[in-house]
Every structure is written in C-alpha cells, then in structure tokens.
Amino acid sequence: MTVNRTAPLSGVAFIALFAASVGISNVPANTAPNSAWVEAYATHSDQARHLATGVCLVLAALALATFLTHLWTRVADARRPDLVNPLPVVAAGISAACIAAGGIMMAAASGSTLLFSQPIPGAPLLRLGNDLGFAMVGVAGMPAAALSIACLSIQARGAGVMTTRMMRFSLAVSEIGRASCRERV
C-alpha cells in the first residue's frame, strides 16, 4: 500500500488506540483510599494493563500526527504555489507530544515495576502519575488536536480537498472533543 492509501487509516488507528487506552485503564477513583491505589498496581496483570494504556496512548499519538500531517500535506499540495499556514501541523505535533507524554506518565510506575523489578511506588506517586498523565492527554493534548482539526477543516475546504458538509462535520467533531475535555476538568 502507498502512503496515500495508508495515511487515512491512521485516523482510524488513532480512534481505535485511544479507545483501547480508555478501555484498558482501570484506576481507582480520586477519592479512593491509598490502599486501593496500591492494590490497583499490585499484580503483574494490573501492571501490564497500566503499561498497555500508556503504550496505546503513545501509538495513538503517532497515528494522530500521521493522519493530520497527511491531510495538511494534501491541502498544501492542492494550494500550490500559495503558502498554507502551518498552524494545524504545529498543533498536531503539540497534541501528539502531549498525548504521548501523558501515556508515558500513566505507564511509568507500572513499567518500572513490571519491566525492571522496581518496588511499587506509594499511592501519592501513583495518583500523581495518573493525574499528570490525564492532564497532558485531556487538558493539553486534546484541545491542541481540536485546534488542528478545526484549522485543517477550514484549509481543506478552501483548497477544495473537503466538501462543505465534511468541513461542518469536522468542525463539530473538533468542538465536541474540545468541550468534552473541558467538562472533565
């Protein structure tokens, strides 16, 4: 398969990997006692699940960056010789970096315990890693993705790469993503 045929699949891969990370993740509530947090990381299967969450987020971030960069490249090619604002690609890079960093933060404690036989950290550190990871993914990464999608939709419509109906749908998806992250904070 060529890049032009596989790049759109990376958008589907992002959705699947991100959904998998949410489905795999199973941390206690913030109000849970410290013992519940330590217990949630106690077994090898728990540790593997938390590590898988982080790996899925890193892979999702790469898939998102691939998809959005591919779309921007198509817009830039269609607009030649005019220049195209790079803001969507910059926002996609920021989003991917934040999502991947969040996944790493969520997986660090489990990864070091599972892979390197380190002791399980205390509950405060487990909570911190999870909360920082969520903040990187949801508070920083997803709004940057929403910005990238919104800008790309407008640019793609202007370049004739996207229909008006698809642009409106993409703008709605962007707004829903942005709003859902804001509600969770």
Side-chain angles (χ1 to χ4, degrees), residues 26-28 35-43 46-47 49-50 110 126:
N26 187 18
V27 296
S35 60
W37 275 84
V38 173
E39 186 178 316
Y41 288 79
T43 68
D46 292 332
Q47 296 158 8
R49 191 177 65 250
H50 294 298
S110 289
L126 294 173

Side-chain angles (χ1 to χ4, degrees), residues 142-143 146 173-183:
M142 296 312 278
V173 167
S174 172
E175 178 57 24
I176 290 167
R178 186 195 63 77
S180 68
C181 291
R182 200 159 122 196
E183 287 177 14

Side-chain angles (χ1 to χ4, degrees), residues 35-103:
S35 60
W37 275 84
V38 173
E39 186 178 316
Y41 288 79
T43 68
H44 286 301
S45 63
D46 292 332
Q47 296 158 8
R49 191 177 65 250
H50 294 298
L51 181 60
T53 296
V55 170
C56 283
L57 284 170
V58 170
L59 294 174
L62 291 171
L64 180 65
T66 299
F67 176 72
L68 295 175
T69 301
H70 172 73
L71 182 56
W72 184 85
T73 301
R74 286 193 59 200
V75 169
D77 287 347
R79 296 289 307 256
R80 289 201 199 287
D82 296 335
L83 295 176
V84 178
N85 188 327
L87 176 62
V89 174
V90 173
I94 291 169
S95 175
C98 290
I99 292 169

